[in-house]
C-alpha cells in the first residue's frame, strides 16, 4: 500500500496548487502515481512532488498531470502561473514547511486552545461574533475561507463591484493568525464577499471588525477622566 501523502499545513498559491492537484487525483478515482507515470512522460516521484507543495512544478508536469486525470489543462494555466510567480521563477523553494520554534510554539498552542473553544458547523459559515480579539477574528476569517473551499485562485481580486483591487498576497496576510492586529477593513470586505457573496454576511463581519477595532483602540487610548459628563454640572 502506498504511503499517505503528508498534509499541506501552510498557506499560499503554491500550497493551493498542490492541494488542487491532490483533489483532482481524487476526482479521477485516485490513480496511483505509478498509474500516472504510465499515462505521462514523467516519473512517479516528479508527479508526487508536484502535489507535495514544497516547490512549483514545471508547466509540462502540471499539464500532463491534469490531462492524465481527465481535465482541461487550459483551465489550470492561470492557477499554475500564479503559483510560479509566488514561488519565484526558476528559484528553489524551501523543501520543508516552516515549523514553529520557541515563542511560536507557545503562540501555536494558544491558537489551538482558542480554536478548540469555537464551535464549527459544516453547513453554516463561521460566526464572526465568536471573536473577541484580533487573533480570534483572523482565525474565524481563515476558517471562513476553508468553509468556502479555499478561494483566491487569481493574483488580484475586485472588491464588490468597485474598481478597488486587492492582491491575493494581501489576502493571505490577512489570514495569518500569528499577527496580533486586525487586517485592513477593505481586505476583510474582499475576503467575506468572495467566500459568501452575501451582503448581510459582509456587513456582519464588518460590524464585528469595527467592534474589536474600537475595543483595541480604547484599550490603547483610554479616555480622559470625565469624558461624556456635563462640565457645568455640580
Amino acid at each position: 500500500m502506498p504511503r499517505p501523502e503528508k498534509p499541506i499545513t501552510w498557506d499560499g498559491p503554491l500550497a493551493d496548487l498542490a492541494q488542487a492537484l491532490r483533489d483532482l487525483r481524487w476526482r479521477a478515482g485516485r490513480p496511483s502515481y505509478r498509474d500516472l507515470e504510465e499515462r505521462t512522460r514523467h516519473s512517479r516521484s516528479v508527479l508526487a512532488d508536484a502535489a507535495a507543495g514544497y516547490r512549483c512544478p514545471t508547466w509540462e508536469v502540471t499539464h500532463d498531470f491534469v490531462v492524465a486525470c481527465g481535465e482541461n489543462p487550459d483551465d489550470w494555466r492561470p492557477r499554475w502561473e500564479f503559483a510560479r510567480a509566488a514561488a519565484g521563477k526558476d528559484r528553489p523553494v524551501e523543501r520543508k514547511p516552516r515549523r514553529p520554534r520557541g515563542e511560536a510554539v507557545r503562540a501555536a498552542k494558544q491558537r489551538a486552545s482558542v480554536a478548540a473553544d469555537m464551535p464549527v458547523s459544516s453547513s453554516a459559515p463561521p460566526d464572526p461574533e465568536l471573536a473577541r480579539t484580533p487573533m480570534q477574528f483572523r482565525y474565524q476569517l481563515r476558517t471562513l475561507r476553508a468553509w468556502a473551499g479555499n478561494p483566491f485562485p487569481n493574483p488580484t481580486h475586485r472588491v464588490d463591484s468597485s474598481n478597488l483591487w486587492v492582491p491575493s498576497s494581501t489576502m493571505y496576510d490577512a489570514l495569518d493568525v500569528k499577527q496580533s492586529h486586525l487586517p485592513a477593513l477593505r481586505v476583510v470586505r474582499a475576503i467575506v464577499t468572495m467566500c459568501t457573496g452575501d451582503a448581510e454576511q459582509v456587513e456582519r463581519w464588518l460590524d464585528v471588525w469595527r467592534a474589536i477595532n474600537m475595543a483595541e483602540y480604547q484599550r490603547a487610548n483610554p479616555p480622559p477622566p470625565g469624558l461624556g459628563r456635563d462640565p457645568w454640572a455640580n
Side-chain angles (χ1 to χ4, degrees):
M1 178 180 295
R3 291 182 299 176
E5 293 176 302
K6 293 182 179 179
I8 299 174
T9 58
W10 55 102
D11 288 321
L14 195 56
D16 288 349
L17 175 63
Q19 187 61 57
L21 289 173
R22 294 184 182 192
D23 295 342
L24 171 62
R25 192 163 72 92
W26 275 88
R27 291 197 300 273
R30 203 186 179 191
S32 67
Y33 285 108
R34 183 188 296 274
D35 292 335
L36 293 180
E37 180 182 47
E38 295 176 355
R39 303 177 193 177
T40 68
R41 49 187 167 173
H42 310 290
S43 69
R44 76 191 81 163
S45 62
V46 169
L47 295 166
D49 189 64
Y54 296 134
R55 59 185 174 186
C56 188
T58 65
W59 170 241
E60 289 73 17
V61 171
T62 306
H63 175 283
D64 293 351
F65 192 117
V66 172
V67 171
C69 290
E71 290 197 5
N72 184 356
D74 293 339
D75 297 336
W76 287 70
R77 183 78 191 205
R79 189 198 303 262
W80 174 82
E81 289 180 347
F82 187 32
R84 182 189 63 171
K89 186 177 181 181
D90 298 328
R91 185 180 67 192
V93 176
E94 188 71 29
R95 290 289 299 175
K96 295 182 179 180
R98 293 191 298 264
R99 297 185 183 276
R101 292 289 185 269
E103 289 295 326
V105 170
R106 288 189 286 273
K109 290 181 179 179
Q110 179 185 6
R111 294 194 300 274
S113 176
V114 169
D117 293 336
M118 292 186 173
V120 176
S121 170
S122 59
S123 57
D127 187 352
E129 295 181 13
L130 294 174
R132 297 292 184 271
T133 68
M135 289 179 67
Q136 292 176 0
F137 186 85
R138 284 174 176 266
Y139 175 84
Q140 288 298 83
L141 198 61
R142 182 186 180 115
T143 305
L144 177 67
R145 180 181 178 241
W147 172 85
N150 296 320
F152 310 175
N154 302 314
T156 58
H157 303 279
R158 188 191 301 270
V159 179
D160 297 337
S161 59
S162 68
N163 290 322
L164 178 62
W165 292 81
V166 179
S168 284
S169 58
T170 302
M171 293 190 178
Y172 284 120
D173 183 70
L175 303 174
D176 184 356
V177 295
K178 296 189 292 295
Q179 301 291 336
S180 60
H181 60 278
L182 285 169
L185 186 63
R186 69 185 184 93
V187 179
V188 174
R189 180 187 297 274
I191 292 174
V192 179
T193 298
M194 183 172 304
C195 291
T196 68
D198 186 329
E200 290 187 8
Q201 281 285 341
V202 172
E203 288 306 314
R204 188 166 177 237
W205 280 82
L206 298 186
D207 285 345
V208 172
W209 183 96
R210 293 186 182 99
I212 296 175
N213 184 58
M214 291 309 300
E216 292 293 303
Y217 174 83
Q218 292 173 350
R219 185 177 296 112
N221 303 274
L227 180 66
R229 296 176 58 185
D230 185 351
W232 305 109
N234 293 328

